């Protein structure tokens, strides 16, 4: 279900007897929408990135929330279009990833099985030894208010 900005403005204007104009409320409505998005209500998929054998990380999609919890899952497909299992989080997070990478060498490359999110990047372990296409499911930021309100019914 999509609620239009105009519907909200009509309701609010009637409720407060038109004390405010519609543009006065835009900032407050956008703030409320941004707060709701931070509650992980909006999901999206990015299938546009390619992981190469020279990469060790993927970048967050541009409209992804910035938290480390914003990435829901990452699935890789190899050159034969075989879908792998969703990558698992590295227990211990960023600290553990850095400890592991201190001892890693180029020969420790393979099919990534683990990931850790840090600084709007998704770091993979082991680093890939071939090219993959990716499917990244994530929690996204709300679009600009002028584009409408996009929360699903279950939020």
């Amino acid at each position: 279900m999509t609620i239009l900005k105009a519907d909200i403005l009509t309701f609010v204007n009637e409720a407060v007897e038109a004390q405010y104009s519609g543009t006065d409320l835009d900032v407050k409505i956008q703030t409320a929408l941004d707060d709701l998005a931070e509650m992980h209500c909006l999901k999206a998929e990015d299938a546009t990135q390619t992981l190469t054998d020279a990469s060790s990380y993927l970048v967050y999609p541009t409209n992804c929330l910035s938290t480390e919890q914003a990435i829901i899952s990452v699935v890789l497909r190899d050159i034969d279009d075989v879908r792998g299992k969703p990558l698992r989080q590295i227990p211990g997070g960023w600290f553990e990833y850095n400890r592991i990478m201190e001892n890693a060498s180029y020969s420790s490359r393979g099919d990534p099985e683990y990931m850790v999110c840090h600084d709007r990047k998704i770091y993979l372990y082991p680093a890939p030894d071939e090219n993959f296409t990716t499917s990244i499911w994530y929690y996204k930021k709300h679009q600009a208010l002028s584009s409408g309100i996009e929360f699903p019914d279950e939020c």
Side-chain angles (χ1 to χ4, degrees), residues 90-121:
I90 294 177
W94 180 243
F95 177 79
E96 182 64 14
Y97 173 80
N98 282 305
R99 190 189 67 74
I100 292 168
M101 294 309 289
E102 284 177 5
N103 300 314
S105 66
Y106 190 81
S107 63
S108 64
R109 290 180 168 269
D111 289 351
E113 296 180 36
Y114 296 94
M115 67 177 191
V116 65
C117 299
H118 181 73
D119 196 25
R120 293 192 56 82
K121 294 182 179 89

XYZ file of all heavy atoms in Angstrom, residues 90-121:
266
model
N 31.247 -13.057 9.707
C 32.418 -13.525 10.439
C 32.161 -13.309 11.929
O 31.929 -12.171 12.350
C 33.696 -12.769 10.009
C 34.043 -13.095 8.566
C 34.860 -13.076 10.943
C 35.237 -12.353 8.029
N 32.174 -14.392 12.719
C 32.029 -14.210 14.166
C 33.177 -13.341 14.675
O 34.333 -13.584 14.345
C 32.123 -15.628 14.734
C 31.807 -16.523 13.572
C 32.299 -15.799 12.348
N 32.858 -12.335 15.415
C 33.906 -11.428 15.897
C 33.989 -10.159 15.083
O 34.720 -9.235 15.439
N 33.285 -10.106 13.953
C 33.172 -8.879 13.168
C 34.470 -8.353 12.586
O 35.373 -9.111 12.214
N 34.558 -7.050 12.531
C 35.668 -6.351 11.880
C 37.001 -6.677 12.545
O 38.017 -6.871 11.872
C 35.391 -4.849 11.899
C 36.431 -4.011 11.273
C 37.201 -3.065 11.879
C 36.841 -4.017 9.897
N 38.059 -2.496 10.975
C 37.859 -3.059 9.746
C 36.445 -4.754 8.774
C 38.479 -2.812 8.528
C 37.072 -4.506 7.556
C 38.076 -3.547 7.446
N 37.028 -6.750 13.864
C 38.261 -7.057 14.579
C 38.794 -8.436 14.161
O 39.969 -8.603 13.864
C 38.022 -7.002 16.096
C 39.234 -7.369 16.899
C 40.248 -6.442 17.102
C 39.368 -8.641 17.436
C 41.370 -6.778 17.828
C 40.491 -8.988 18.172
C 41.487 -8.055 18.367
N 37.911 -9.413 14.122
C 38.319 -10.774 13.761
C 38.758 -10.845 12.298
O 39.715 -11.530 11.946
C 37.190 -11.760 14.032
C 37.542 -13.202 13.733
C 38.650 -13.755 14.619
O 38.995 -13.152 15.645
O 39.183 -14.831 14.269
N 38.072 -10.124 11.415
C 38.448 -10.094 9.997
C 39.886 -9.586 9.847
O 40.686 -10.169 9.111
C 37.477 -9.217 9.205
C 37.884 -9.008 7.773
C 37.637 -9.990 6.814
C 38.523 -7.844 7.365
C 38.015 -9.812 5.488
C 38.899 -7.656 6.049
C 38.642 -8.636 5.106
O 39.022 -8.451 3.812
N 40.214 -8.526 10.533
C 41.572 -7.975 10.452
C 42.607 -8.953 10.987
O 43.695 -9.076 10.438
C 41.654 -6.641 11.204
C 41.068 -5.522 10.386
O 41.464 -5.303 9.253
N 40.093 -4.840 10.946
N 42.263 -9.658 12.051
C 43.186 -10.660 12.596
C 43.427 -11.771 11.578
O 44.572 -12.190 11.347
C 42.624 -11.238 13.898
C 43.633 -12.097 14.647
C 43.009 -12.833 15.806
N 42.058 -13.848 15.361
C 42.369 -15.017 14.804
N 43.634 -15.313 14.568
N 41.453 -15.883 14.443
N 42.352 -12.235 10.933
C 42.475 -13.292 9.919
C 43.319 -12.813 8.740
O 44.181 -13.536 8.242
C 41.080 -13.727 9.414
C 40.312 -14.451 10.518
C 41.190 -14.598 8.178
C 38.835 -14.646 10.200
N 43.088 -11.587 8.309
C 43.781 -11.067 7.124
C 45.268 -10.819 7.373
O 46.049 -10.810 6.438
C 43.101 -9.790 6.625
C 41.687 -10.032 6.102
S 41.572 -11.377 4.890
C 42.389 -10.649 3.489
N 45.667 -10.650 8.623
C 47.095 -10.494 8.932
C 47.883 -11.729 8.505
O 49.041 -11.640 8.137
C 47.299 -10.264 10.432
C 46.941 -8.891 10.889
C 47.101 -8.726 12.393
O 47.582 -9.668 13.075
O 46.752 -7.656 12.887
N 47.244 -12.872 8.561
C 47.921 -14.133 8.240
C 47.552 -14.683 6.873
O 48.012 -15.753 6.498
C 47.589 -15.177 9.313
C 48.028 -14.731 10.676
O 49.134 -14.247 10.840
N 47.147 -14.854 11.655
N 46.708 -13.979 6.128
C 46.269 -14.465 4.815
C 47.320 -14.166 3.759
O 48.056 -13.198 3.842
C 44.950 -13.813 4.434
N 47.367 -15.019 2.752
C 48.258 -14.793 1.619
C 47.437 -14.900 0.341
O 46.264 -15.275 0.372
C 49.382 -15.839 1.609
O 48.834 -17.122 1.374
N 48.054 -14.573 -0.774
C 47.333 -14.650 -2.042
C 46.855 -16.078 -2.298
O 45.798 -16.293 -2.876
C 48.206 -14.162 -3.202
C 47.412 -14.017 -4.473
C 46.643 -12.886 -4.702
C 47.405 -15.039 -5.428
C 45.887 -12.765 -5.852
C 46.643 -14.917 -6.582
C 45.891 -13.770 -6.796
O 45.136 -13.657 -7.934
N 47.581 -17.053 -1.837
C 47.199 -18.446 -2.078
C 45.967 -18.858 -1.259
O 45.385 -19.902 -1.510
C 48.368 -19.381 -1.764
O 48.701 -19.289 -0.399
N 45.575 -18.028 -0.304
C 44.400 -18.367 0.506
C 43.100 -17.888 -0.149
O 42.060 -17.894 0.479
C 44.536 -17.787 1.914
O 44.566 -16.380 1.869
N 43.175 -17.497 -1.412
C 41.965 -17.092 -2.134
C 41.123 -18.321 -2.454
O 41.629 -19.420 -2.538
C 42.324 -16.355 -3.425
C 42.928 -14.996 -3.184
C 43.272 -14.280 -4.478
N 43.569 -12.899 -4.224
C 42.676 -11.920 -4.258
N 41.424 -12.183 -4.540
N 43.021 -10.680 -3.999
N 39.834 -18.118 -2.632
C 38.925 -19.211 -2.954
C 37.519 -18.678 -3.136
O 37.328 -17.501 -3.418
N 36.531 -19.522 -2.977
C 35.140 -19.073 -3.040
C 34.787 -18.443 -1.701
O 34.854 -19.115 -0.658
C 34.192 -20.247 -3.318
C 34.313 -20.766 -4.746
O 35.004 -20.122 -5.568
O 33.714 -21.814 -5.035
N 34.415 -17.162 -1.694
C 34.082 -16.509 -0.425
C 32.944 -17.234 0.298
O 31.976 -17.669 -0.316
C 33.649 -15.106 -0.853
C 34.344 -14.885 -2.160
C 34.359 -16.226 -2.825
N 33.096 -17.380 1.582
C 32.078 -17.990 2.438
C 31.615 -17.043 3.530
O 30.544 -17.216 4.087
C 32.635 -19.253 3.099
C 32.982 -20.355 2.127
C 33.523 -21.577 2.849
O 33.048 -21.867 3.960
O 34.433 -22.218 2.293
N 32.436 -16.054 3.850
C 32.156 -15.148 4.960
C 32.206 -13.704 4.494
O 32.850 -13.379 3.499
C 33.185 -15.346 6.079
C 33.130 -16.700 6.714
C 33.964 -17.720 6.259
C 32.251 -16.963 7.751
C 33.913 -18.974 6.843
C 32.193 -18.218 8.332
C 33.019 -19.217 7.869
O 32.959 -20.457 8.442
N 31.571 -12.858 5.283
C 31.602 -11.423 5.012
C 31.600 -10.667 6.332
O 31.204 -11.187 7.370
C 30.392 -11.000 4.184
C 29.069 -11.112 4.901
S 27.728 -10.511 3.869
C 26.409 -10.464 5.076
N 32.046 -9.439 6.267
C 31.933 -8.516 7.388
C 31.720 -7.128 6.787
O 32.329 -6.779 5.769
C 33.174 -8.559 8.308
C 34.419 -8.076 7.597
C 32.923 -7.771 9.583
N 30.826 -6.370 7.376
C 30.508 -5.038 6.870
C 31.224 -3.995 7.718
O 31.215 -4.060 8.951
C 29.000 -4.805 6.926
S 28.073 -5.970 5.916
N 31.842 -3.048 7.023
C 32.550 -1.972 7.711
C 32.740 -0.813 6.744
O 33.162 -1.013 5.595
C 33.910 -2.472 8.213
C 34.689 -1.438 8.956
N 34.355 -1.030 10.228
C 35.762 -0.712 8.597
C 35.205 -0.112 10.625
N 36.067 0.104 9.643
N 32.416 0.393 7.212
C 32.671 1.619 6.451
C 32.060 1.566 5.047
O 32.717 1.875 4.063
C 34.174 1.875 6.386
C 34.503 3.302 5.961
O 33.667 4.200 6.174
O 35.595 3.507 5.385
N 30.789 1.117 4.969
C 30.018 1.035 3.720
C 30.659 0.106 2.680
O 30.520 0.284 1.485
C 29.739 2.415 3.130
C 28.801 3.225 4.021
C 28.256 4.466 3.369
N 27.565 4.244 2.124
C 26.278 3.854 2.003
N 25.547 3.630 3.055
N 25.737 3.708 0.816
N 31.384 -0.888 3.176
C 31.942 -1.921 2.314
C 31.616 -3.285 2.911
O 31.468 -3.425 4.116
C 33.457 -1.766 2.165
C 33.873 -0.507 1.427
C 35.366 -0.455 1.270
C 35.796 0.770 0.511
N 36.035 1.933 1.360
